[in-house]
Each structure stands twice: as C-alpha cells, then as structure tokens.
Amino acid sequence: MSIEIRHLSKQFGSFAALRDINLNIHSGELLALLGPSGSGKTTLLRVIAGLETADSGQVLFNNEDATSQPIQERQVGFVFQHYALFRNMTIFENVAFGLRVRPRQNRLRVQEIHERVTNLLKLVQLDWLADRYPHQLSGGQRQRIALARALAVEPKVLLLDEPFGALDAKVRKELRTWLRRLHDEMHITSIFVTHDQEEALEVSDRVVVMNEGCIEQIGTPDEVYERPANPFVYEFLGHVNLFHGRIHQGRAWIGDVEIDAPEHAEAEDLAAVAYVRPHDIEVDRVMNGESALPAQVVHILSVGPVVKLELVQKGNQNKNLIQVEISKERFRDLQLVKGDQVFIKPRRLDLFPHQLH
Amino acid sequence: MSTFKQHSVLPGFNLALGFTLLYLSLVVLIPLSAAFIRTAELNWPEFWATVTTPRVLASYRLTFGASFAAALTNAVFGLLVAWVLVRYHFPGKRVVDALIDLPFALPTAVAGIALTALYAGNGWIGRVLEPLGIKIAFTPLGVYVALTFIGLPFVVRTVQPVLEDIETELEEAAAMLGANRLQTFLRIIFPTIFPALMTGFALAFARAIGEYGSVIFIAGNMPMISEITPLLIITKLEQYDYTGATAIAVVMLVISFILLLIINLLQWWSRRRNALA
C-alpha cells in the first residue's frame, strides 16, 4: 500500500511538532524516519497510525483519504519502543489478540487462529515461548513478539517507533538485519523511526532526515550520506570536519588551499563553511603540490582496519580537532607518531555559505 | 527453622521475625484471644443459644449483607471515581482528590448525623425520596448508605496507583490491533487492576463490618429490622452481660476472618493467573 502525506502540520501548545510535511511512500518500501529527538519523526509516525490527529493536512492510503479514518479500520500494524505487550496474557494470547477481538462475523475459527499464531511465532523463531508470559522474556524476544502480534492482523502498513531503542548494542544489530530480511520476504510497506543514523542507513530503502518538524532531505542511504543537502544533514550523518573559508566567483579558499567551487559561481566574497568527511582528507609528510594546510598529530587510534587521526590545524585560532581516517597501509608508509607535523588537503568537500549555518 | 530461612544479604531475619510476632501478639492476638477466653466461660449449649437468637441472627444478616452490598457498590463507583481522577484533567481535580479521604478522617458519628439529617423525611434528600415511597433513614437502606459512605476511599486509594501505572501504550496497542474501547477495558485494563480492586473491596468490606458510629444514627436500631451486630454487642455490655457480648463478638470475628481469607485467596489466585510478578 502506498502512503501519501500532504501538507501535514501539528502543534503541541506553542511547539510545532510538524510543519507542512509532504512525503510519498512507495508500496512495499522500507522507509526510515531519521532525526534527533524533538524533530517530529515519532509524531509523524503516530499521525500516520491514527494515534495522533494532525491540525491540518491529509494522509492518503492508496490515494484514498484516511485522515479521519478510525485507528481500528486503518489496517496498520504498530510496534512500540517499549514493546507494549499485554502482561496478563501469554505470548500466544498476545499474538492472537488482534484475531480474537474481531467482530464475530469475520472472526476466524479457533483452529485457524491457532494455526496462524503458531506460524507467526515460528516466523519470529520463538514458537517455543508460546506459553510464557512477557516478563519471562528478554527485550529482544519481546520486541519480536510485538512484531508478530502486529503482523497477525495482516496489516497493509507496518509502523515501528524506535523498535530497537531499548535494546543493547548486540541485540540491536542482530534484530535490524533480521528486520531487513523479514521485510525482503514480506514486502509490506514499512516505516520505522530512529535517531540512530547507522541503523537508518543500514536497514532502509530510503531515509527521510527530519529536523525541527521539517524534512531536511529524502533519499537512498547513499544519497543522503554522500550528497547531504545541507549542513544539518551533513552533521547528523556521520563524522564531519568543518573548515572556515571564503568563496568568490566559483573559487573557494581555505587557508592557502584553493579549490574549484563551480556551484558558487554567483558568490561575491562570502564567508563559507566547508564540510569534509574524515576519509576524504589526504595526509602527507611534505607539502605535496601547490598548497596544503599544515597540521599537527595529537592523537592516533590504530585499532581496526582504519586508522583514526586527530589533528590540530596550525596557525589557526580555531582549535577544533580535525578527524582523519586513513588506511592501515597508508599509516605504515607515513610512519606517523604523536606530535608529527603533517600537511592535509581535502579530497572532496561541500561548501555552504556561512549565513546558512 | 533452617528449611525456610534462606541466606540473605539483608541481616536480622531472626530479630525481625521475633519483633513481628511480638508486636502482632501484643496488638492483635492477645486482645482477640481474651474475647475467646471470656466466651469459654459459657458452655456449648449456652453459647449456641446466645449467638443464635432470632434477634442476633437478624443482625448478622443486616451487618454482613449491607456491608457486602456497600463494598460491592464502592467497588463499582470507586473504580469509576479512580478512573476519572487518573484519566481526566479538570479544574478543581486536586480538591476532589482530597475530598475522597474525608470519610477516613471524619469522626464516624459526625458522618452519621450528617447523613441522617440529609436522608430523614425532612432532610434535603429524604424530602424528595419520601413521596416516592423510598425511605432511607431509619431503615436497612440507611445502614447501606452509611456503610457506602465510609468505604469509598478504600477502593479509590487502592485502585488509583495501579491505574496510574497502566501505560497508555497498552491501550494504543490494543486499538491498533482492532479492539474497541470495551474490549480494551475488559481484556487489558480490568485484568490488570482486578487484584487491586479486590484489595479495595476487602478493605471496604472489613471496615463496614466493624462500623458502628455512623450507622447507629441513621439506622433507627429497630430490633429484627435495622439493628447491626456491633450495636447488639454494645447493648449487651450496657446490661453487664460481658460473656454474651464476647460470644457474639467471637462469632463476628470468625465469620469476618473466613470471609477475608476467601477474598485473599481469590486475590492470590487472580494475581497468579495474571502473572504480575
């Protein structure tokens, strides 16, 4: 089922949770709503679910207006961050709940309910826990049961509100690969909310980056990571280094380094901020070529295949640490130790005029 | 001893248990056993004759019947009050919340006088009901009204915290799965609050059985009709019939104990079933 969101706005008192949101969700895709807390991502999810009503705007399911449709009729499965399992019921009864509360005329027979619940418990690989109660399960198990319960009513859309937020790091990673696999098998339109950029980039087909009630960027994980639309997305997704400089008629200067900036051909001597990913910085012992920025190594972290360096730019009042990632081979060639003088040069950067920042 | 005493990091099990037993003995068991010892002065036929006269039997029926009805009423409406206090926000909510405790604090005689003034034939409420043929003051109905009044806070105060602890997420989850409000209440909320509701019911019931002050004003105390057992005990005491008074008291004690035991067992059973560990 496709979902379309048109001009959605929501206000909590004086706080604008959503400001004129427009979004199209394709049928069968796994979409991540990513943003810091208070960015409106959970509110958007709850409006789609019908748990929250928007002040204005529309939600369309398969091109039909569902804005004022009651929750019970939306055919939406919802998974809560804290599982929300019914603790007075066994695991089996939790999963069967949605089937048992149906109106009598379209309720399944007892045997069919039993079959479907057993199948779902097998799907989440927890059929051996059917007779237990929620408090006897671990967090990861509970969340899988919550998912099975949501799937029992055969929803057209699956909404997950920070589904792995309450779990520890290892279980989180397992569950998100598992969710990805499950989605590939079932192809049910799914939206999940997260504040963890790694999770969003790893699991989803598309990422919607939100901030202060607005959508900052929509794109595939590659697009939003490689080509962030603005400084916010840049800073929110992964580590990034900031260099202050100037742009003038399609050229940019950071210290002595001069760079082509054709997208800023109109700029007339503007202050600008350059965003550079740690792996997009070249490090050398000598001034190589026309220009580079001098820096000093203050910390080396050489665990793993990538060596992380922390540098301080020389002759700059700005004492921000510059994070650089180089390969182990490159690190061996350079034979760097703490305190060494190096020259750095951004390989790739994005420039944003200063007033935006 | 060692079979049920498990090693624990918390020290002082022996001391704590000893103190508990001593305290319980001094405050509860010894005074109660005095009633039994006093009663033992009667031989069995005498005892049986004392506690089964028609007038005494009528008073048991009234005391336990009205107490049960009042506790049941409070279970229903107390739950409703607790629900409103937890779920809704309205001006003056704190005042209403504080008012709930008033029956706890009010001297029961004051409550009795106030209720009598209201429900008597010339009172504000009695004046309206009397022409309709409903007499409350000086009838068993009056006993029920007084017992309902004093029992309300027990139910509200035991259910309220449990209701506050129920996450709204549970109700949202039920709604997302297609349950309507009634199904959500019956299948999710009610099983969760049921043990607390039983506790509140038991407390209100126990309190009503022992109630004296507020009832004697409104009951009219007509033998065989609106006379409660505690009043009979007082009457016997005033006639210096101490053994007769304690004999009736012992019967009350035993019945109350059995009833409370049953309620506790029910509660234990439902708690186990709901696995609220």
Side-chain angles (χ1 to χ4, degrees), chain A residues 46 72 85 88 101 133 149, chain B residues 170 172 179 183 187 191 273:
Chain A
R46 289 172 62 86
Q72 286 88 347
L85 293 180
N88 56 317
V101 295
Y133 283 91
R149 183 178 67 177
Chain B
L170 288 179
E172 288 175 350
Q183 285 169 323
R187 285 167 179 260
R273 212 173 133 257

Side-chain angles (χ1 to χ4, degrees), chain A residues 269-287:
Chain A
D269 194 29
L270 281 177
V273 184
Y275 286 77
V276 189
R277 296 271 188 222
H279 54 83
D280 280 333
I281 294 179
E282 269 175 50
V283 182
D284 227 321
R285 276 198 174 275
V286 288
M287 178 94 80

Side-chain angles (χ1 to χ4, degrees), chain A residues 105-116:
Chain A
Q105 61 268 23
N106 47 21
R107 198 181 298 164
L108 297 171
R109 283 183 294 120
V110 177
Q111 188 56 38
E112 290 172 304
I113 292 180
H114 191 272
E115 233 163 76
R116 190 184 294 180

Side-chain angles (χ1 to χ4, degrees), chain A residues 46 49 51 71-72 76 78 80 82 84-89 97-98 100-101 133 135 149 153, chain B residues 165 167 169-170 172-180 183 187-188 191-192 273-277:
Chain A
R46 289 172 62 86
L51 292 170
I71 305 173
Q72 286 88 347
V76 167
F78 201 99
F80 294 86
H82 298 289
L85 293 180
F86 307 131
R87 58 196 150 185
N88 56 317
M89 295 180 198
F97 184 83
R100 292 209 199 279
V101 295
Y133 283 91
H135 69 89
R149 183 178 67 177
V153 291
Chain B
D165 280 348
E167 307 97 329
E169 276 191 357
L170 288 179
E172 288 175 350
M176 298 289 339
L177 291 165
N180 58 38
Q183 285 169 323
R187 285 167 179 260
I188 312 291
T192 310
R273 212 173 133 257
N274 288 318
L276 284 166

Side-chain angles (χ1 to χ4, degrees), chain B residues 39 42-54 56-57 60 247-248 251:
Chain B
T39 310
L42 294 169
N43 61 29
W44 185 251
E46 281 171 342
F47 170 77
W48 192 249
T50 313
V51 299
T52 56
T53 60
V56 176
L57 287 179
Y60 296 149
I248 297 172
V251 173

Side-chain angles (χ1 to χ4, degrees), chain A residues 32-328:
Chain A
L33 295 178
L34 176 66
S37 44
S39 60
K41 54 195 193 308
T42 294
T43 308
L44 178 56
L45 194 79
R46 289 172 62 86
V47 171
I48 297 173
L51 292 170
E52 218 69 80
T53 44
D55 299 335
S56 61
Q58 282 180 303
V59 178
L60 286 84
F61 288 168
N62 272 345
N63 301 318
E64 276 173 46
D65 191 358
T67 316
S68 51
Q69 203 178 18
I71 305 173
Q72 286 88 347
E73 289 165 25
R74 290 196 181 206
Q75 292 193 286
V76 167
F78 201 99
V79 174
F80 294 86
Q81 181 178 2
H82 298 289
Y83 332 121
L85 293 180
F86 307 131
R87 58 196 150 185
N88 56 317
M89 295 180 198
T90 60
I91 296 308
F92 184 93
E93 284 306 315
N94 262 283
V95 179
F97 184 83
L99 302 171
R100 292 209 199 279
V101 295
R102 280 189 188 171
R104 190 145 302 177
Q105 61 268 23
N106 47 21
R107 198 181 298 164
L108 297 171
R109 283 183 294 120
V110 177
Q111 188 56 38
E112 290 172 304
I113 292 180
H114 191 272
E115 233 163 76
R116 190 184 294 180
V117 172
T118 313
N119 285 339
L120 278 164
L121 287 175
K122 278 190 186 133
L123 180 76
V124 298
Q125 297 152 2
L126 292 174
D127 46 325
W128 50 286
L129 290 175
D131 298 326
R132 305 278 183 87
Y133 283 91
H135 69 89
Q136 296 169 302
L137 270 59
S138 72
Q141 289 172 333
R142 285 185 215 187
Q143 198 55 294
R144 285 195 285 178
I145 295 301
L147 193 61
R149 183 178 67 177
L151 291 172
V153 291
E154 297 182 319
K156 301 278 187 289
V157 180
L158 188 61
L159 305 176
L160 305 103
D161 183 12
E162 305 239 7
F164 315 127
L167 305 170
D168 60 66
K170 189 167 169 289
V171 182
R172 266 175 107 108
K173 284 209 160 177
E174 278 168 20
L175 269 190
R176 69 190 190 215
T177 3
W178 179 80
L179 176 72
R180 179 71 248 184
R181 273 211 317 276
L182 194 77
H183 181 264
D184 290 344
E185 281 169 30
M186 315 230 310
H187 287 295
I188 174 172
T189 312
S190 309
I191 307 173
F192 79 99
V193 160
T194 180
H195 60 258
D196 181 342
Q197 35 110 356
E198 200 184 314
E199 194 168 288
L201 297 177
E202 206 173 287
V203 177
S204 62
D205 295 322
R206 284 200 303 158
V207 181
V208 175
V209 185
M210 293 187 69
N211 182 36
E212 292 180 348
C214 299
I215 293 178
E216 298 282 352
Q217 191 174 4
I218 307 172
T220 64
D222 270 341
E223 280 167 5
V224 292
Y225 187 79
E226 295 296 335
R227 290 190 297 283
N230 55 43
F232 173 80
V233 181
Y234 233 120
E235 284 181 51
F236 196 69
L237 292 177
H239 286 293
V240 70
N241 294 300
L242 270 67
F243 293 93
H244 294 271
R246 308 200 75 73
I247 42 176
H248 182 62
Q249 293 178 348
R251 306 288 292 162
W253 286 268
I254 296 163
D256 293 335
V257 182
E258 194 181 338
I259 304 146
D260 267 334
E263 69 273 27
H264 295 289
E266 314 282 289
E268 289 288 337
D269 194 29
L270 281 177
V273 184
Y275 286 77
V276 189
R277 296 271 188 222
H279 54 83
D280 280 333
I281 294 179
E282 269 175 50
V283 182
D284 227 321
R285 276 198 174 275
V286 288
M287 178 94 80
N288 193 355
E290 61 279 18
S291 59
L293 299 170
Q296 188 175 24
V297 180
V298 292
H299 189 73
I300 300 172
L301 180 70
S302 57
V303 179
V306 173
V307 178
K308 292 174 183 168
L309 304 177
E310 282 180 0
L311 312 174
V312 186
Q313 206 179 327
K314 278 200 127 183
N316 194 333
Q317 70 276 36
N318 178 5
K319 287 286 173 219
N320 283 345
L321 289 176
I322 302 166
Q323 313 247 358
V324 180
E325 288 174 15
I326 55 174
S327 69
K328 205 110 194 182

